[in-house]
């Protein structure tokens, strides 16, 4: 028995340095900083390689488990001013207040453009009562604190009303998608993905969402991929790709017309997030 106890003690001594090394390695790989924007808002910024596990990123973010998760995909390309104003109204009077009401975390692309800018402004208007997490490729962010003196082609600044960011080590738009989806899977909460407008990257995000078993709410009338998918779902129109067909036939897609009342969208989100 004495020999067995000695062996166990030796094994514990061997394991402890390894655990410490793993902890130190994760701290070195996942970098955590704070950024202060011109409007005075501060946000936590996590920088992580594409191959780091999502649990490590979640631990670095260090916020409470949300009761629900709202993911926002897409953009605002090609929308005229009146249609942009209508989409912004839905963010202001439906998505942001429901997120606060249900204790939901909002995840989007995090940049000062399109629907990400609308989402940030809506959360700010609502008193920043929700965590807003932006996930983006580090190599496309133009903020001096992130890019330094490096010239960034086709880049964008971070949206200043987000509370948290995860910047994935990638120089390509879409290089962050896999990590975003992996991180969403770590949360043990109901998930709704909202698709507004959008192009190829949003199309892939929508496809991966239904493959993950998540509900997808498509804002019909917001343009581009959202309208293509809406037509395939509503009217049974011939899908231009096998991906559109797969999403449309998944049984996980709900349509919301951009001209419908914000109250209707609030009710739909409450229903979808309380299943």
């Amino acid at each position: 028995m004495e020999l067995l106890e000695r062996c166990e003690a030796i094994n514990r001594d061997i394991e402890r340095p390894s655990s410490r090394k793993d902890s130190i390695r994760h701290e070195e790989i996942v970098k955590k900083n704070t950024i202060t924007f011109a409007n005075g808002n501060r946000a936590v910024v996590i920088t992580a390689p594409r191959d780091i596990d999502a649990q490590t990123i979640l631990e670095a973010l260090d916020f409470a488990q949300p009761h629900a998760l709202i993911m926002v995909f897409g953009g605002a390309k090609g929308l005229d001013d009146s249609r942009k104003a209508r989409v912004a109204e839905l963010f202001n009077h439906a998505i942001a207040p429901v997120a606060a009401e249900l204790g939901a975390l909002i995840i989007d692309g995090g940049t000062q453009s399109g629907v990400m800018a609308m989402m940030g402004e809506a959360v700010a208007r609502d008193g920043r009562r929700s965590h807003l997490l932006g996930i983006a490729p580090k190599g496309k962010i133009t903020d001096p604190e992130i890019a330094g003196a490096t010239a960034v082609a086709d880049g964008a600044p971070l949206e200043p009303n987000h509370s948290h960011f995860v910047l994935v080590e990638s120089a390509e738009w879409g290089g962050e998608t896999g990590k975003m989806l992996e991180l969403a899977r770590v949360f043990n909460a109901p998930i709704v993905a909202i698709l507004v407008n959008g192009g190829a990257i949003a199309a892939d995000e929508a496809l991966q969402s239904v493959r993950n078993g998540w509900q997808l709410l498509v804002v019909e009338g917001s343009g581009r991929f959202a309208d293509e998918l809406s037509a395939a779902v509503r009217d049974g129109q011939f899908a231009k790709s096998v991906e559109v067909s797969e999403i449309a036939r998944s049984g996980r897609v709900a349509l919301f017309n951009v001209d419908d009342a914000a109250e209707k969208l609030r009710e739909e989100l409450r229903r979808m997030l309380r299943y």
Side-chain angles (χ1 to χ4, degrees):
M1 179 62 70
E2 183 180 350
L3 178 60
L4 178 60
E5 290 174 350
R6 287 179 181 176
C7 290
E8 289 176 345
I10 291 170
N11 287 337
R12 285 195 297 269
D13 289 341
I14 292 172
E15 288 169 1
R16 284 170 186 161
S18 176
S19 298
R20 287 196 296 269
K21 287 178 182 177
D22 288 344
S23 176
I24 292 169
R25 184 175 67 84
H26 285 160
E27 288 175 3
E28 290 174 347
I29 291 173
V30 177
K31 301 186 186 330
K32 183 175 183 178
N33 297 296
T34 301
I35 188 171
T36 302
F37 294 100
N39 63 359
N41 288 341
R42 293 166 63 85
V44 172
V45 179
I46 306 295
T47 303
R50 293 171 70 170
D51 60 351
I52 195 69
D53 63 285
Q55 185 62 44
T56 300
I57 296 174
L58 181 59
E59 290 170 2
L61 286 168
D62 191 30
F63 50 58
Q65 167 73 26
H67 296 295
L69 190 61
I70 297 175
M71 305 181 73
V72 179
F73 304 145
K77 187 175 180 180
L79 297 181
D80 60 28
D81 290 343
S82 64
R83 187 96 325 179
K84 285 180 181 178
R86 177 59 193 147
V87 172
E89 185 177 342
L90 296 177
F91 279 89
N92 291 334
H93 300 296
I95 300 173
V98 167
E101 172 191 335
L102 300 183
L105 167 67
I106 307 169
I107 295 180
D108 65 12
T111 59
Q112 181 64 27
S113 60
V115 294
M116 288 85 75
M118 294 181 190
M119 190 72 259
E121 290 162 7
V123 168
R125 175 181 175 140
D126 197 52
R128 302 188 83 194
R129 294 186 294 154
S130 302
H131 283 320
L132 177 53
L133 170 62
I135 303 180
K138 180 177 181 291
K140 288 296 185 183
I141 301 305
T142 60
D143 297 72
E145 296 92 333
I146 307 300
T150 305
V152 179
D154 187 31
L158 295 174
E159 199 285 323
N161 295 300
H162 282 62
S163 58
H164 298 76
F165 296 93
V166 172
L167 302 183
V168 181
E169 294 285 3
S170 174
E172 301 296 331
W173 293 116
E176 77 286 1
T177 298
K179 192 56 58 183
M180 175 184 66
L181 297 169
E182 183 185 346
L183 187 59
R185 287 193 294 268
V186 173
F187 292 102
N188 183 26
I191 299 176
V192 169
I194 301 175
L195 173 66
V196 180
N197 191 277
I201 294 174
D204 181 57
E205 292 168 341
L207 176 62
Q208 298 306 322
S209 293
V210 298
R211 285 180 174 176
N212 275 289
W214 304 334
Q215 299 178 93
L216 179 65
L217 180 63
V218 182
V219 180
E220 185 178 16
S222 62
R224 297 202 297 159
F225 183 70
D227 285 359
E228 178 185 345
L229 180 56
S230 296
V233 172
R234 180 182 294 282
D235 305 323
Q237 290 186 10
F238 176 75
K240 295 180 180 179
S241 68
V242 293
E243 290 80 11
V244 171
S245 180
E246 180 180 344
I247 299 170
R249 295 176 182 178
S250 68
R252 302 186 182 280
V253 180
L255 303 182
F256 177 84
N257 191 284
V258 70
D259 292 319
D260 284 346
E263 174 58 32
K264 183 176 179 180
L265 180 56
R266 290 197 296 271
E267 292 174 357
E268 183 69 1
L269 287 172
R270 290 184 189 114
R271 181 191 68 79
M272 296 174 81
L273 288 169
R274 285 175 172 159
Y275 67 89

